[in-house]
Amino acid sequence: MQIFRLIALAIPLTASSLLLALPEDTVQLSLGAYHSCVLIDNQVRCWGENDKGQTNVPPLKNPKMVSAGSWHTCALDENGVKCWGQDIYGETNVPPLKNPKIVSAGGYHTC
C-alpha cells in the first residue's frame, strides 16, 4: 500500500488552490508553464504538455533536484546540470560548471 501526502498549492490566475496526492517519498515537486515534474525514488518523473520535449526525461545519475521552466526542464545529478525541452534562447545549453549545487529553470532561462 502506498502512502500519500496531500499538498495544497496556491496557483495564481489558474485556480484558487490545487490538491495533489503525492507518494510519501516525494522529495521535490516543480511546476512549469504546462508541465510538472517530481523527484521521487531517485528518479525524475514529468507529465503534462510535451510539445517541446519538456517531459522527456533523459538518463540521470542519482538526481538531487529538478526544476521545470516554461517549456524546458533541468535537473541536477551526479554529473552536473542536464536540461531538455525548448531551446530557443539557449535555456538548455548548460555551460561548463564546477560542482553546481542548485539549478533553477525560468521562463526562457536557466540559472
Side-chain angles (χ1 to χ4, degrees):
M1 181 171 105
Q2 197 162 41
I3 299 171
F4 289 91
R5 162 186 347 170
L6 295 178
I7 298 175
L9 300 171
I11 309 294
L13 305 176
T14 319
S16 59
S17 68
L18 175 66
L19 189 63
L20 298 173
L22 297 172
E24 182 71 23
D25 53 352
T26 299
V27 175
Q28 184 189 3
L29 169 68
S30 185
L31 306 174
Y34 301 101
H35 73 292
S36 303
C37 299
V38 293
L39 177 57
I40 184 171
D41 291 331
N42 206 30
Q43 297 177 42
V44 171
R45 297 181 189 168
C46 298
W47 66 94
E49 191 170 304
N50 191 37
D51 60 328
K52 311 290 186 214
Q54 63 267 39
T55 65
N56 295 339
V57 181
L60 299 169
K61 186 174 182 179
N62 298 317
K64 310 268 185 260
M65 176 177 216
V66 63
S67 184
S70 288
W71 291 276
H72 72 291
T73 307
C74 297
L76 176 64
D77 73 358
E78 282 186 7
N79 297 318
V81 174
K82 202 176 271 189
C83 297
W84 59 95
Q86 179 175 279
D87 190 34
I88 293 175
Y89 301 102
E91 52 269 55
T92 63
N93 292 331
V94 180
L97 300 170
K98 186 176 180 179
N99 199 20
K101 302 288 184 199
I102 190 168
V103 63
S104 181
Y108 298 98
H109 67 283
T110 303
C111 297

